[in-house]
Amino acid sequence: MIYPDGYKSKLTQRETQYAIKTVKDTFQQKLGKALNLDRITAPLMVTRASGINDDLNGVERKVHFTMKNIEGEAEVVQSLAKWKRMALYKYGYKHGEGIYTDMNAIRRDDDTDNLHSLFVDQWDWCRVITKEERNAEFLKEIVKRIVDAIVDTNEAVKEKYPVLSFEMSREVYFITTQEMEDMYPELTPGERENAVVKEHGTVFIQKIGGALRSGKKHDGRAPDYDDWELNGDIFAWNDTLGCAFEISSMGIRVDAESLHRQLETEGCPERERFPFHSMILDGTLPLTIGGGIGQSRLCMLLLQKAHIGEVQCAVWSDEMRDECEKHGIILL
């Protein structure tokens, strides 16, 4: 936990509620326009047998339950990384078209702190691409469009609430996880992120999921949605907390070759039998790019809040609530 010295919210709780709506309404409109995305409805749960739930790092326990009139078990989603690609296919989206949705998830094994909650809300988005667009330059172009949408939203919010003063650069600094390890071999991955983002402000850290030359991973990624060579995270520097602040995890999604390779690398080739995976391997599902952009994360950053619990209703320990209140952080 980080408790900024002398912290006081720049907005009252009531003003915060209005401002949250401003952020969400403005950003999703700008995101949809920038990437040519339609808003669609998304599930809160999927069947376990479908294999379509997000496995995150592969160790997180999913919230699951049996049903009265349906065989098998259902799982509360951890994200919609795989479901979105199925939706593009089912709804007949073509090249250059895409979707976004309000995704609500429960991640029961997350460690709660300033940035992490058991409740996750984000804009999950996905867009159809061609084989020729599966490259780093196309990925960077999409990143720039998302950053422009964030900066435009920030300017609109500050115009409505002049007390806010967060600044974010449109200029994106691109760096790979291996380049970061080479620059700072003595630092942890989190410390490397802080060093790079503090220096450059708006950063896209590329190639997350595979092992680095040290044999260690910068961070974990499920092997069956992002291509680890063509993915990354968008970061901004959070002045309120004094740390690197992840806004989005995204990337070009796996094709048949990268899916097979990454499943073998992670020791889970048996997943290829699931309907979702077999539809990638046989070319049924379209090639895509997609990601998630944290809704509460974005609100927290633009509204200069010290804790994600100031912009979303979730479950926190009594100890955390009490300690936050002592430091001027009032959780919803």
Side-chain angles (χ1 to χ4, degrees):
M1 283 292 299
I2 301 171
Y3 300 106
D5 289 339
Y7 173 78
K8 183 179 180 181
S9 174
K10 296 191 175 188
L11 301 174
T12 67
Q13 284 193 315
R14 188 166 180 176
E15 288 172 333
T16 297
Q17 296 298 318
Y18 296 139
I20 289 170
K21 187 175 189 303
T22 300
V23 172
K24 291 186 176 183
D25 288 350
T26 304
F27 178 74
Q28 65 183 3
Q29 182 182 40
K30 292 186 178 297
L31 178 70
K33 184 176 181 180
L35 301 185
N36 192 30
L37 309 177
D38 296 334
R39 187 194 180 282
I40 68 167
T41 302
L44 178 62
M45 65 202 80
V46 295
T47 63
R48 172 172 284 188
S50 70
I52 207 170
N53 203 351
D54 187 349
D55 293 295
L56 302 178
N57 295 309
V59 297
E60 292 85 353
R61 298 173 299 160
K62 303 178 183 75
V63 176
H64 60 94
F65 54 92
T66 56
M67 298 161 282
K68 183 177 181 181
N69 297 317
I70 303 174
E71 292 185 3
E73 288 193 338
E75 298 176 341
V76 177
V77 297
Q78 296 196 117
S79 91
L80 299 175
K82 301 172 188 174
W83 178 89
K84 293 174 294 186
R85 193 167 180 177
M86 292 286 284
L88 287 172
Y89 167 72
K90 181 178 179 181
Y91 299 155
Y93 279 82
K94 306 300 182 184
H95 170 241
E97 301 175 335
I99 57 177
Y100 78 90
T101 188
D102 292 295
M103 190 285 300
N104 294 315
I106 297 175
R107 298 182 183 174
R108 61 188 289 185
D109 286 332
D110 272 13
D111 294 319
T112 57
D113 55 25
N114 300 75
L115 310 183
H116 298 90
S117 168
L118 303 183
F119 170 65
V120 178
D121 56 342
Q122 62 186 30
W123 291 284
D124 255 320
W125 65 274
C126 201
R127 168 175 156 157
V128 180
I129 63 174
T130 64
K131 182 179 181 180
E132 291 70 30
E133 289 171 331
R134 297 192 80 258
N135 61 73
E137 290 309 309
F138 180 75
L139 173 63
K140 291 178 180 179
E141 174 58 31
I142 296 297
V143 169
K144 292 175 183 177
R145 294 187 195 181
I146 294 172
V147 168
D148 278 342
I150 294 173
V151 175
D152 288 345
T153 300
N154 185 45
E155 291 176 353
V157 173
K158 289 200 296 183
E159 183 177 351
K160 192 168 184 178
Y161 300 95
V163 69
L164 299 173
S165 58
F166 174 69
E167 296 287 344
M168 182 172 174
S169 173
R170 293 183 189 272
E171 296 298 318
V172 184
Y173 181 75
F174 294 93
I175 188 171
T176 69
T177 52
Q178 187 59 62
E179 289 170 337
M180 291 172 61
E181 183 183 63
D182 293 343
M183 290 169 61
Y184 303 108
E186 74 285 358
L187 300 183
T188 66
E191 290 169 342
R192 292 173 197 151
E193 291 171 354
N194 279 330
V196 171
V197 178
K198 185 175 183 178
E199 180 179 356
H200 296 283
T202 304
V203 178
F204 186 66
I205 298 176
Q206 299 171 253
K207 298 188 178 184
I208 300 175
L212 303 174
R213 281 195 285 268
S214 65
K216 300 178 181 179
K217 293 183 178 183
H218 179 83
D219 197 3
R221 285 293 187 277
D224 45 11
Y225 58 91
D226 276 351
D227 185 327
W228 294 342
E229 293 298 308
L230 294 168
N231 70 349
D233 292 344
I234 300 175
F235 280 84
W237 183 254
N238 187 319
D239 284 324
T240 302
L241 296 177
C243 68
F245 191 87
E246 181 190 330
I247 306 169
S248 173
S249 176
M250 59 173 288
I252 290 174
R253 301 319 203 190
V254 289
D255 59 4
E257 180 183 355
S258 54
L259 173 63
H260 180 74
R261 181 179 66 250
Q262 291 176 184
L263 289 177
E264 289 286 343
T265 298
E266 292 299 284
C268 50
E270 70 281 356
R271 291 190 194 178
E272 292 187 358
R273 72 175 186 270
F274 287 128
F276 171 80
H277 301 72
S278 63
M279 291 172 75
I280 294 175
L281 294 170
D282 67 16
T284 300
L285 293 182
L287 298 174
T288 60
I289 184 172
I293 302 166
Q295 294 190 10
S296 291
R297 282 281 183 102
L298 187 60
C299 290
M300 181 184 171
L301 182 67
L302 303 192
L303 304 184
Q304 297 178 281
K305 299 290 188 177
H307 195 290
I308 198 166
E310 294 179 273
V311 294
Q312 66 159 236
C313 296
V315 176
W316 312 101
S317 68
D318 291 339
E319 292 79 8
M320 181 178 288
R321 283 190 174 275
D322 292 343
E323 197 62 27
C324 282
E325 189 170 354
K326 290 178 186 177
H327 290 85
I329 302 171
I330 309 303
L331 305 182
L332 298 180

